């Protein structure tokens, strides 16, 4: 594992993030708790390609990073040091476009396979460089039983949680914003090595990762060229004139955000910025790359076609 130095405290997080922050939860879906699929501790897998982002250890952290399996996927928690793992396409078919992939998990865990590595592999297979961001997380109990209990309590209270004050959001997401900004900085610094066009680096996030994607877009100097918001909150916000093209996905039966308004889409359109929105009838929350019988499983193919429509699957002429 190599290390680069960098990273700085990012600017205040937009009100959009504050709207959804109280409702974050495991990306594996509130409904999945009823499936009695137990969390099983596993050894931290080898990550030889992971690059430390140099944003430092999580302040005052006591619990150390650990991993578990659930729903046929691997999850990381108590991440205290941020890393970026590249998944690079064959240089012969590399388009030059790149995507920072931000898994979800309520800022308490990260769905590393379903919303991270699997997404990155699929992008690389289509000629797009992908970089999985393992960002720092809020501390949770070190023991599995304590962690399970804390998550169940959070899920049970998610609809009763008061909305956080917008001013608190910046402090809440400061480590994660520093990590995402450092990721963009690293990719641009190594753009030639990784066959990446520094002007065509985007970001896609899932649930909490979608919130981080929006915060990175609105409140940092990362300047993503395009973004994907996959089952994140879609409430109203002020859209800047230079907002990037956005691809948004959610299921109508999403227990967290499916029964809320989708004014973010209207705001993007009102601002005259490109936006594509897919509202699936069913899919729940956290479907990611899981193969389900619902049409939500087709979201990735739709995203790939959207990237192609914007010329991101092809090398720039000249």
């Amino acid at each position: 594992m190599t290390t680069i130095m960098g990273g700085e405290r990012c600017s205040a997080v937009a009100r959009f993030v504050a709207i959804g922050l109280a409702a974050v939860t495991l990306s594996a879906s509130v409904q999945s708790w009823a499936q009695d699929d137990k969390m099983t501790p596993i050894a931290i897998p080898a990550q030889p390609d992971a690059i430390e982002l140099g944003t430092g250890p999580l302040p005052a952290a006591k619990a150390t990073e650990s991993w578990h399996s659930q729903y046929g996927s691997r999850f990381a928690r108590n991440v205290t040091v941020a890393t970026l793992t590249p998944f690079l396409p064959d240089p012969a078919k590399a388009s030059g476009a790149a995507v920072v992939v931000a898994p979800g998990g309520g800022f308490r865990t990260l769905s590393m396979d379903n919303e991270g590595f699997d997404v990155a592999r699929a992008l690389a297979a289509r000629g797009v460089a992908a970089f999985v961001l393992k960002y720092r997380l809020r501390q949770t109990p070190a023991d599995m039983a304590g962690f399970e209990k804390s998550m169940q309590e959070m899920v049970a209270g998610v609809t009763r949680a008061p909305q956080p004050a917008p001013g608190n959001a910046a402090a809440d997401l400061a480590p994660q914003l520093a990590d995402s900004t450092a990721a963009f900085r690293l990719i641009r610094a190594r753009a030639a090595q990784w066959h990446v066009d520094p002007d065509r680096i985007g970001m896609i996030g899932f649930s909490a990762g979608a919130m981080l994607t929006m915060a990175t877009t609105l409140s940092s100097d990362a300047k993503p060229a395009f973004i994907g918001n996959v089952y994140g909150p879609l409430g109203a916000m002020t859209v800047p004139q230079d907002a990037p093209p956005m691809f948004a996905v959610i299921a109508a039966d999403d227990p967290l955000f499916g029964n809320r308004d989708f004014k973010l889409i209207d705001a993007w359109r009102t601002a005259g910025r490109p936006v594509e929105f897919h509202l699936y009838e069913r899919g729940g929350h956290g479907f990611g790359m899981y193969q389900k019988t619902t049409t939500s499983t087709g979201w990735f193919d739709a995203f790939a076609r959207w990237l192609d429509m914007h010329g991101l699957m092809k090398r720039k002429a000249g």
Side-chain angles (χ1 to χ4, degrees):
M1 185 178 288
T2 55
T3 306
I4 74 157
M5 297 306 294
E8 59 189 17
R9 189 178 182 90
C10 298
S11 58
V13 181
R15 181 178 179 273
F16 170 84
V17 178
I19 293 173
L21 197 55
V24 293
T25 186
L26 276 174
S27 289
S29 171
V30 172
Q31 296 170 334
S32 296
W33 285 100
Q35 295 175 7
D36 196 29
D37 192 346
K38 297 293 290 182
M39 300 177 186
T40 303
I42 61 173
I44 297 178
Q47 300 162 78
D49 298 326
I51 304 168
E52 289 189 13
L53 284 171
T55 49
L58 186 71
K62 296 180 180 179
T64 58
E65 182 175 327
S66 62
W67 287 54
H68 64 273
S69 63
Q70 189 181 29
Y71 316 117
S73 186
R74 293 175 298 177
F75 295 77
R77 63 190 181 91
N78 287 326
V79 174
T80 60
V81 176
T83 67
L84 193 71
T85 301
F87 287 77
L88 303 177
D90 181 339
K93 67 175 185 179
S95 71
V99 181
V100 175
V101 181
F107 299 109
R108 291 163 174 80
T109 185
L110 293 174
S111 181
M112 295 301 297
D113 285 327
N114 183 47
E115 298 172 350
F117 301 148
D118 293 347
V119 177
R121 291 189 188 98
L123 286 166
R126 295 179 184 246
V128 177
F131 300 85
V132 178
L133 176 61
K134 187 175 73 174
Y135 51 90
R136 290 171 291 174
L137 297 173
R138 296 174 181 176
Q139 291 269 285
T140 59
D143 65 294
M144 184 55 68
F147 174 67
E148 283 191 282
K149 181 179 179 182
S150 71
M151 293 306 297
Q152 289 166 348
E153 290 173 348
M154 184 182 70
V155 169
V158 69
T159 59
R160 300 191 302 268
Q163 296 286 16
N168 295 338
D172 285 339
L173 290 189
Q176 293 80 23
L177 276 167
D179 297 342
S180 62
T181 305
F184 276 84
R185 186 180 300 114
L186 172 60
I187 297 168
R188 290 188 174 117
R190 299 194 185 183
Q193 173 188 342
W194 287 332
H195 304 283
V196 166
D197 181 340
D199 294 326
R200 294 202 294 166
I201 305 170
M203 186 172 182
I204 186 170
F206 301 78
S207 192
M211 296 180 197
L212 180 56
T213 297
M214 298 306 300
T216 303
T217 302
L218 298 167
S219 302
S220 79
D221 59 5
K223 298 295 182 183
F226 55 92
I227 56 173
N229 180 325
V230 183
Y231 43 78
L234 298 174
M237 56 155 281
T238 301
V239 179
Q241 293 183 343
D242 62 349
M246 179 174 67
F247 180 91
V249 173
I250 199 166
D253 65 347
D254 185 316
L256 296 183
F257 308 124
N259 60 353
R260 301 186 181 213
D261 67 68
F262 306 140
K263 292 181 179 178
L264 176 64
I265 307 303
D266 294 333
W268 228 259
R269 295 179 64 199
T270 299
R273 304 305 301 151
V275 58
E276 180 157 329
F277 178 42
H278 292 257
L279 174 62
Y280 292 103
E281 178 184 344
R282 285 181 287 173
H285 187 80
F287 46 83
M289 297 297 281
Y290 290 133
Q291 295 301 300
K292 303 179 72 172
T293 58
T294 58
T295 54
S296 60
T297 295
W299 79 267
F300 181 81
D301 288 336
F303 179 58
R305 288 193 294 271
W306 181 78
L307 292 176
D308 189 38
M309 182 179 70
H310 281 274
L312 295 164
M313 293 292 197
K314 304 177 184 68
R315 293 182 181 177
K316 272 186 177 179

